[in-house]
Amino acid sequence: MEIILKKTESGVRRNFLAILLGILAIPALAAAPSAVEPELAPLAKHERIGELVTEFVEKSHYQHSSVNDELSAQVLDRYIEALDGNHMYLLASDVEAFQKHRNRLDDMVRSESLGPIFEMFDVYRTRARERLTFALEELEKKPDFTVDEEYVFDREDLGWAETPAQLD
């Protein structure tokens, strides 16, 4: 019985994370692609949805799971994983900067601004744009097949790059 309970508890956490990430992805998905990307910022409705999801998880779900610092830390880890699970875009300094929110995400969805979560996504979006620009510049160059080099496709187990040059 204990094993089933643990699986169910992790399912609740996974569902909460999925709902929270879905809420945060709405503005990114709704934004039309353009040369100048619009600034992403939380709206009052996003913050109200966060409050409702928190209330649902704590009061209406049959397990009455706590939305607390422990869950906040797990959500942050999974958010970073969802953004850049292959360690292709974010730098170690970006991930380190995100850690200041490690035990605050639960407070944000209750009653604080979701701005820091949107700021984290903006850092990711900026880094992804930098990588795309680099790749397009590389495609313009004539390849030198005499250089002995390799590309690591699966970077998940590698640490975070310290500099953009390491990502290159």
Side-chain angles (χ1 to χ4, degrees), residues 59-73:
K59 295 179 182 173
S60 299
H61 194 275
Y62 69 94
Q63 279 200 314
H64 301 283
S65 295
S66 294
V67 177
N68 55 21
D69 288 351
E70 179 185 347
L71 180 60
S72 177

Side-chain angles (χ1 to χ4, degrees), residues 69-140:
D69 288 351
E70 179 185 347
L71 180 60
S72 177
Q74 290 177 7
V75 168
L76 179 64
D77 291 340
R78 291 184 182 167
Y79 185 55
I80 294 169
E81 176 71 20
L83 288 177
D84 190 13
N86 203 27
H87 300 192
M88 294 174 53
Y89 305 108
L90 295 173
L91 298 172
S93 58
D94 300 328
V95 175
E96 182 63 32
F98 296 166
Q99 298 305 314
K100 67 183 172 193
H101 304 299
R102 184 163 204 74
N103 295 321
R104 291 191 49 231
L105 297 179
D106 58 316
D107 301 321
M108 288 180 207
V109 295
R110 278 184 213 282
S111 60
E112 294 180 14
S113 170
L114 296 174
I117 298 169
F118 281 75
E119 291 167 12
M120 286 187 276
F121 182 80
D122 193 48
V123 169
Y124 160 76
R125 185 168 67 168
T126 299
R127 297 293 186 215
R129 191 180 322 109
E130 291 170 356
R131 297 288 86 222
L132 178 60
T133 300
F134 170 77
L136 292 173
E137 289 170 357
E138 288 298 303
L139 288 173
E140 294 296 321

Side-chain angles (χ1 to χ4, degrees), residues 132-150:
L132 178 60
T133 300
F134 170 77
L136 292 173
E137 289 170 357
E138 288 298 303
L139 288 173
E140 294 296 321
K141 296 177 184 176
K142 184 177 178 182
D144 182 359
F145 295 111
T146 63
V147 176
D148 184 23
E149 55 188 3
E150 62 182 52

